[in-house]
Amino acid sequence: MTEHLVARLADRLADPAALAARVTAAETPGLAETRSLWHAQSLADGHAGVALLFAALAHGDPGHARVAHAHLSAAVTKVSRPAREGLYAGLPAVAFAARTAVTRPGEYGGLLTKLDGQVALLARRLVAEDAPRVAAGTAGARMAGYDVVAGLSGIGRLLLAAGPEHRDTTELVLAHLVALTRPVTGPGGRTVPGWWTGDPILFSEPDGIPGGHFNAGLAHGVPGPLALLSLAHRAGVCVPGQEQAIRTVAEWLLARRSPDGVGWPNVVPLEAELAAASGTRPGLAEARTGWCYGTPGVARALQLAALALKEPDWNRQAVAAVAATCDRPGGARASGDPTLCHGLAGLTTIVTLMAREPGGAELAPRIPELTEALARAADPAHPFLWPAAAPGGSAVVHRPGFLDGAAGTALALRYATAPDAPLGELPWQAALLLC
């Protein structure tokens, strides 16, 4: 059943030109949002993201390598780079997809040499842009400067995979993220954690949160730097202060859980943080149960930290939080969204990864139910089998891509049902900073 669903989706996504024409045409209801987001060099909604599915399949069936290559070619042929680049947009997105597609030594070597150099330049530029603020110890971190989707956490993961040729830049990124965890002088002259930001969470809310906030989601908040610092530590790539930075963020997250002691809020507003610093646990409930925000993403970052620093109690708390999430009514299973970013596919992937780590075995019995729910969510009547939930949940959107679309959902289903299938040197889950 699972293989059949993945194969059916792969068949519908196999022709890059036909897929792009379908997405950008005005004929299919539910594609308006996808048309506005589609960009060939997008890891979320573009050929780069779709290539991840075929790259993963190619490691078990070389026949899919041709299709992965075709989508990569479509991502670089006569395509203008987006105005802002990061792991999910532009040349870094193409570099990530190409690296996952490597099935033999030297494959895509020339392309990756060029792209890795561009990624390193981008990383150095982002560090340089924020370095004066960091050196002065003043508040005001920009989420897009350090997060997974657009910032240094995502780019750093790609550089970590690039190997020793770019070790200097990788260490520069790690050192900058270490500095991000040091206290700064915030609003009103008060000392606050270094990741305080005045950025709005959503473009639709440009005024942001009064007093600013501390983002607690894996996609855009401090769990992203925590995950990268921990993964680098496990890979033997360390800079001064890295262990203390991991400890600082992990302990902060554990102390900022929702009142039930399990979930995490999307953000901690300034006033709640000041209260927490004085010993009062913030009364902030989990607002989303996904990879981007909420318990699953935060818990995986904590588990990575626990494994890096050999802190079994952190691991126990992370695993227990995800187990509770799986067992309670509602959450990602009832969200109506099967995708990686907000929904069931993200939870399923995280549970599968965490269950395979030391101390995570209690999560394994939850995987069959999650995979069955993912399979049930597929509907052949939809153009890409798995529709995403529109904001507000009143409609569906048809997105073929990775982060909020069907390709990512298929990857999650395949991994949960065949976790030992080969994925290559850089697994697709690394795009989520989950490994």
Side-chain angles (χ1 to χ4, degrees):
M1 175 64 171
T2 298
E3 292 180 1
H4 174 69
L5 289 171
V6 175
R8 177 176 286 192
L9 177 67
D11 184 62
R12 295 186 186 188
L13 303 183
D15 185 328
L19 174 62
R22 186 173 198 180
V23 167
T24 55
E27 300 170 357
T28 307
L31 277 175
E33 181 179 350
T34 306
R35 281 195 295 275
S36 68
L37 296 171
W38 180 266
H39 188 286
Q41 292 180 351
S42 170
L43 210 58
D45 289 283
H47 292 295
V50 175
L52 294 182
L53 173 61
F54 292 98
L57 295 174
H59 289 290
D61 179 356
H64 291 288
R66 177 187 57 82
V67 183
H69 181 79
H71 277 285
L72 287 170
S73 296
V76 297
T77 304
K78 297 180 181 179
V79 175
S80 298
R81 291 160 65 177
R84 182 176 178 88
E85 295 185 299
L87 180 60
Y88 277 77
L91 297 185
V94 178
F96 185 93
R99 196 167 287 281
T100 69
V102 172
T103 58
R104 62 182 185 277
E107 191 174 16
Y108 294 110
L111 176 65
L112 285 170
T113 296
K114 294 178 182 178
L115 292 178
D116 289 345
Q118 292 296 309
V119 172
L121 286 173
L122 175 60
R124 289 182 175 276
R125 193 190 79 214
L126 287 175
V127 170
E129 286 175 356
D130 200 34
R133 182 195 65 82
V134 170
T138 55
R142 305 303 305 270
M143 291 189 296
Y146 72 79
D147 74 1
V148 172
V149 174
L152 287 168
S153 294
I155 293 170
R157 181 62 186 91
L158 184 52
L159 288 170
L160 187 64
E165 293 85 353
H166 294 283
R167 176 65 61 85
D168 288 350
T169 306
T170 305
E171 292 177 351
L172 182 69
V173 169
L174 296 176
H176 190 78
L177 295 178
V178 166
L180 184 75
T181 69
R182 298 183 185 126
V184 294
T185 303
R190 292 167 291 197
T191 300
V192 296
W195 55 94
W196 177 89
T197 182
D199 288 353
I201 306 172
L202 301 172
F203 289 119
S204 58
E205 299 174 356
D207 293 334
I209 297 174
H213 71 279
F214 305 84
N215 197 293
L218 178 53
H220 301 296
V222 76
L226 176 65
L228 178 63
L229 292 169
S230 301
L231 288 165
H233 190 285
R234 294 183 78 186
V237 182
C238 296
V239 296
Q242 188 165 333
E243 290 192 9
Q244 182 56 52
I246 293 170
R247 192 170 299 280
T248 295
V249 177
E251 291 176 348
W252 184 88
L253 286 168
L254 288 168
R256 302 303 184 271
R257 285 174 292 182
S258 53
D260 60 9
V262 175
W264 278 269
N266 288 0
V267 301
V268 178
L270 176 62
E271 292 306 316
E273 171 60 24
L274 295 174
S278 64
T280 303
R281 182 182 289 274
L284 303 169
E286 181 183 57
R288 178 174 284 173
T289 305
W291 164 76
C292 54
Y293 286 101
T295 298
V298 177
R300 175 56 173 171
L302 277 170
Q303 185 184 53
L304 292 172
L307 297 170
L309 298 194
K310 298 180 173 55
E311 289 282 356
D313 188 59
W314 296 354
N315 193 24
R316 180 190 61 76
Q317 294 185 69
V319 170
V322 172
T325 296
C326 292
D327 294 343
R328 73 184 182 211
R333 284 180 295 174
S335 70
D337 192 329
T339 64
L340 283 171
C341 188
H342 308 109
L344 182 59
L347 175 62
T348 303
T349 299
I350 289 168
V351 170
T352 306
L353 283 165
M354 292 182 69
R356 294 168 65 81
E357 299 282 14
E362 71 173 88
L363 293 175
R366 276 84 172 180
I367 297 173
E369 180 183 358
L370 293 170
T371 54
E372 288 167 12
L374 263 185
R376 287 195 305 270
D379 183 347
H382 291 297
F384 309 120
L385 298 187
W386 287 279
S394 58
V396 297
V397 223
H398 303 301
R399 300 173 72 169
F402 172 69
L403 190 59
D404 292 289
T409 304
L411 282 167
L413 181 60
R414 178 178 181 267
Y415 175 63
T417 53
D420 293 317
L423 289 174
E425 181 181 340
L426 182 63
W428 61 266
Q429 297 95 329
L432 305 168
L433 267 287
L434 297 177
C435 65

